[in-house]
């Protein structure tokens, strides 16, 4: 069998302390998962079950890279997030078994065209144009569970040009990692290579060309992104 053109390379995420790469299959994102962020977005955190959106696998960007200010937006924003990497397939996964499906964890930045996202929300349209654009998922390096263990708590912090914009703790997640995996696996068969961005704390805000944005999570270190001019 011949492809009609050379297939694109497999998207992948760095692995901490290794030359190996983690191949990416899909990127699932949790919509609102910290109460204070749900409130700042004008929603009631107590009454809404978790919901998901996705980004294409090839939206991944390594730490240390420059991301150009994207097209069609005047309100490009950061979102610090814990990222969960799935290493074992499963459907209808029980919460008690969920962590056995986790390969590792990373810090991530769910880059967002907020103006397009909010316009879509108001019109009842899909979020893709606000969330699933090129180079919209800064992720990694991944820390294998075998070395780092699981993360039930720990500080998560985002800075822009050294100034703290988001500061919270993973223990404040409305839906825990086992709950998210269990709920997701009722709708989709999870597969190795799937990534889950678990939602962002309060304090989201804009980025400008020239900004340096970092996300630090306790035990996962820090990732950094420089924003470049619009291409
Ligand atoms: Mn997010």
């Amino acid at each position: 069998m011949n492809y009609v053109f050379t297939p694109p390379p497999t998207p992948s995420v760095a692995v901490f302390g290794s030359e190996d790469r983690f191949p990416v299959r899909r990127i699932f994102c949790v919509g609102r998962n910290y109460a204070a962020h749900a409130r700042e977005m004008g929603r009631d955190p107590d009454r809404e079950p978790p919901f998901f959106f996705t980004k294409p696998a090839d939206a991944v960007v390594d730490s240390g890279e420059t991301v150009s200010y994207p097209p069609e937006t005047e309100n490009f924003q950061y979102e610090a997030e814990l990222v969960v990497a799935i290493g074992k397939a499963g459907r209808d996964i029980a919460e008690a078994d969920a962590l056995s499906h986790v390969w590792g964890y990373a810090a991530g930045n769910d880059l967002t065209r907020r103006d397009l996202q909010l316009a879509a929300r108001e019109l009842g349209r899909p979020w893709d144009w606000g969330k699933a654009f090129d180079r919209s998922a800064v992720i990694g390096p991944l820390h294998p569970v075998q070395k780092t263990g699981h993360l039930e708590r720990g500080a998560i912090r985002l800075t822009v040009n050294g100034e703290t914009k988001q500061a919270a703790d993973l223990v404040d997640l409305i839906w825990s990692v086992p709950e998210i995996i269990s709920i997701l696996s009722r709708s989709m068969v999870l597969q190795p290579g799937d990534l889950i961005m678990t939602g962002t704390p309060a304090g989201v805000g804009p980025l400008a060309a020239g900004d340096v944005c970092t996300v630090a999570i306790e035990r996962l270190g820090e990732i950094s992104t420089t924003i470049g001019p619009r291409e």
Side-chain angles (χ1 to χ4, degrees), residues 30 53 79 81 110 131 200:
V30 183
F53 60 91
E79 294 190 357
E81 310 209 359
D110 168 15
K131 287 289 194 178
T200 199

Side-chain angles (χ1 to χ4, degrees), residues 7-207:
T10 299
S12 65
V13 171
V15 174
F16 184 79
S18 171
E19 295 295 307
D20 294 344
R21 309 269 306 175
F22 180 92
V24 178
R25 184 166 184 269
R26 294 177 292 190
I27 305 172
F28 297 104
C29 307
V30 183
R32 291 172 206 116
N33 209 12
Y34 291 83
H37 174 62
R39 286 189 204 99
E40 79 179 350
M41 297 301 286
R43 290 295 185 264
D44 180 347
D46 299 322
R47 288 193 298 175
E48 296 185 18
F51 67 94
F52 300 90
F53 60 91
T54 61
K55 292 176 185 263
D58 68 359
V60 289
V61 176
D62 284 332
S63 176
E65 291 189 28
T66 295
V67 172
S68 300
Y69 200 97
E72 302 270 284
T73 183
E74 302 304 329
N75 193 3
F76 181 42
Q77 296 203 348
Y78 55 79
E79 294 190 357
E81 310 209 359
L82 171 70
V83 182
V84 179
I86 298 296
K88 188 173 87 179
R91 75 166 77 217
D92 297 328
I93 299 167
E95 278 176 37
D97 297 330
L99 292 182
S100 73
H101 293 261
V102 176
W103 190 90
Y105 297 95
N109 196 341
D110 168 15
L111 296 174
T112 300
R113 296 193 286 203
R114 188 73 68 202
D115 42 2
L116 301 192
Q117 181 207 4
L118 294 180
R121 191 178 88 173
E122 293 313 310
L123 293 167
R125 290 178 182 165
W127 284 15
D128 303 47
W129 260 228
K131 287 289 194 178
F133 52 97
D134 293 341
R135 294 175 70 71
S136 58
V138 183
I139 294 176
L142 276 170
H143 291 247
V145 162
Q146 285 179 331
K147 290 183 184 168
T148 309
H150 291 285
L151 297 175
E152 284 163 22
R153 57 185 63 245
I156 177 169
R157 196 165 80 98
L158 181 142
T159 70
V160 179
N161 304 325
E163 185 181 329
T164 299
K165 301 290 189 183
Q166 295 183 286
D169 195 288
L170 300 177
V171 80
D172 297 329
L173 284 168
I174 294 172
W175 301 93
S176 68
V177 170
E179 287 171 327
I180 293 165
I181 291 171
S182 179
I183 291 167
L184 248 183
S185 73
R186 290 179 215 153
S187 285
M188 307 272 183
V189 180
L190 292 181
Q191 298 285 357
D194 288 338
L195 299 175
I196 306 168
M197 304 190 82
T198 57
T200 199
V204 297
L207 292 165

